[in-house]
Amino acid sequence: MSAKTPRRAPRGTRPEPQGTPRDTPRGTTVDAPVDAPARGAAPAEGSGPAALALTRPAPSALTLLPTADRPAPERADAARNRRKILDAAARIVAEVGPEAVTMNQVAHASGIGVGTVYRRFGDVAQLLWALLDDRERQFQEAYMSGPAPLGPGAPAAERLAAFLDALVDRVIEQRELLLAAQAAAPSARYTSGAYLAMHTHVAVLVSQVRPDANGALLAHLLLAPFSPSLMHHLSVERHLTAAELKAGIADVLGLRP
């Protein structure tokens, strides 16, 4: 018995795309799958830029964190391996810079198999973006919910001074990675989730200290000295220490007597 021939659609009409619900009204969109990434969300591990040069980063890779959300839940052993890999990568970056990092180095330093490192992060560039994101999460957690004076519980002026001190440490620690991100997309700094979170935090504190001032504007001006290129110039080329940078920022801003 031959198979029944499918009925042709009337002339002038288009067949329905396979999988489209029949009761969906024209002009509406079908909901995306539950596991589809939200527009503008930070990329999952393994989806970042493909080259260490960071000359073509995915825009979302620089977005980092709109808030201090935690990574997706994972098994305890996977979380331990992830932490070992990222900590090993951070040590290598601090010692030799991001350009010299290899997946074999990271595997050896972390005690994790190189195959696992590749499966988890894909390549060196994606590993470095994950490291930058990880450090930003830690910093955000510290100033949003950590102990005072950096976290809640201290007067606004003390929290602001503590935040700027901590930001000096963070920018110096992550100087090479932040420079690579800035070189890849110079204007992305001011639209990234990480910067917007810091700006909002500083603007709120400034408004509490100076209710009559333009908190949003002053927040931008307070964050301006922390450009990775300027901090690199001061700490590397001018050989200023973190303590000297903190004292200089405090003197300029009048945060301390």
Side-chain angles (χ1 to χ4, degrees), residues 62-69 132-133 135-144 150 156 159-172 174 178 181-182 188-207 215-228 231 249:
L62 291 175
T63 301
L64 295 180
L65 301 169
T67 60
D69 296 331
L132 190 58
D133 181 77
R135 291 303 187 259
E136 182 59 38
R137 290 180 188 276
Q138 293 178 12
F139 183 52
Q140 286 192 8
E141 288 176 356
Y143 71 74
M144 288 182 175
L150 181 57
R159 290 194 68 191
L160 183 58
F163 174 83
L164 296 176
D165 280 356
L167 189 54
V168 169
D169 292 329
R170 164 165 163 68
V171 174
I172 290 178
Q174 297 292 299
L178 292 169
Q182 184 182 52
R189 161 178 163 81
Y190 304 104
T191 57
S192 70
Y195 181 85
L196 294 175
M198 290 191 296
H199 177 267
T200 299
H201 179 67
V202 172
V204 169
L205 294 178
V206 168
S207 296
L217 173 60
L218 291 183
H220 282 302
L221 297 177
L222 288 174
L223 293 173
F226 296 93
S227 164
M231 295 298 283
I249 291 172

Side-chain angles (χ1 to χ4, degrees), residues 1-256:
M1 181 180 296
S2 61
K4 185 179 280 187
T5 302
R7 183 181 300 175
R8 292 186 178 179
R11 180 175 297 177
T13 62
R14 296 181 180 177
E16 288 183 357
Q18 188 172 359
T20 301
R22 289 181 173 273
D23 57 352
T24 302
R26 179 174 298 178
T28 62
T29 56
V30 180
D31 290 339
V34 173
D35 58 352
R39 181 177 298 177
E45 291 166 9
S47 64
L52 176 58
L54 302 182
T55 55
R56 190 178 56 83
S60 58
L62 291 175
T63 301
L64 295 180
L65 301 169
T67 60
D69 296 331
R70 294 182 177 275
E74 54 188 346
R75 300 193 318 271
D77 59 338
R80 284 193 298 270
N81 287 345
R82 181 179 185 278
R83 174 52 47 205
K84 289 180 181 178
I85 292 169
L86 291 175
D87 288 346
R91 291 194 300 270
I92 294 171
V93 168
E95 293 169 4
V96 299
E99 297 84 0
V101 175
T102 69
M103 298 296 260
N104 285 336
Q105 273 184 314
V106 174
H108 178 75
S110 64
I112 305 297
V114 67
T116 299
V117 177
Y118 270 105
R119 284 192 300 272
R120 189 68 194 259
F121 294 99
D123 60 25
V124 172
Q126 295 172 50
L127 172 59
L128 293 180
W129 281 119
L131 176 60
L132 190 58
D133 181 77
D134 180 71
R135 291 303 187 259
E136 182 59 38
R137 290 180 188 276
Q138 293 178 12
F139 183 52
Q140 286 192 8
E141 288 176 356
Y143 71 74
M144 288 182 175
S145 58
L150 181 57
E158 292 182 20
R159 290 194 68 191
L160 183 58
F163 174 83
L164 296 176
D165 280 356
L167 189 54
V168 169
D169 292 329
R170 164 165 163 68
V171 174
I172 290 178
E173 177 194 358
Q174 297 292 299
R175 179 177 56 227
E176 300 300 332
L177 292 177
L178 292 169
L179 273 174
Q182 184 182 52
S187 63
R189 161 178 163 81
Y190 304 104
T191 57
S192 70
Y195 181 85
L196 294 175
M198 290 191 296
H199 177 267
T200 299
H201 179 67
V202 172
V204 169
L205 294 178
V206 168
S207 296
Q208 293 174 359
V209 175
R210 292 276 308 277
D212 58 329
N214 185 335
L217 173 60
L218 291 183
H220 282 302
L221 297 177
L222 288 174
L223 293 173
F226 296 93
S227 164
S229 57
L230 176 59
M231 295 298 283
H232 178 272
H233 170 71
L234 294 175
S235 62
V236 176
E237 298 174 6
R238 301 301 298 269
H239 308 292
L240 294 176
T241 66
E244 290 173 317
L245 292 172
K246 293 175 185 178
I249 291 172
D251 286 343
V252 169
L253 301 178
L255 294 177
R256 299 192 187 103

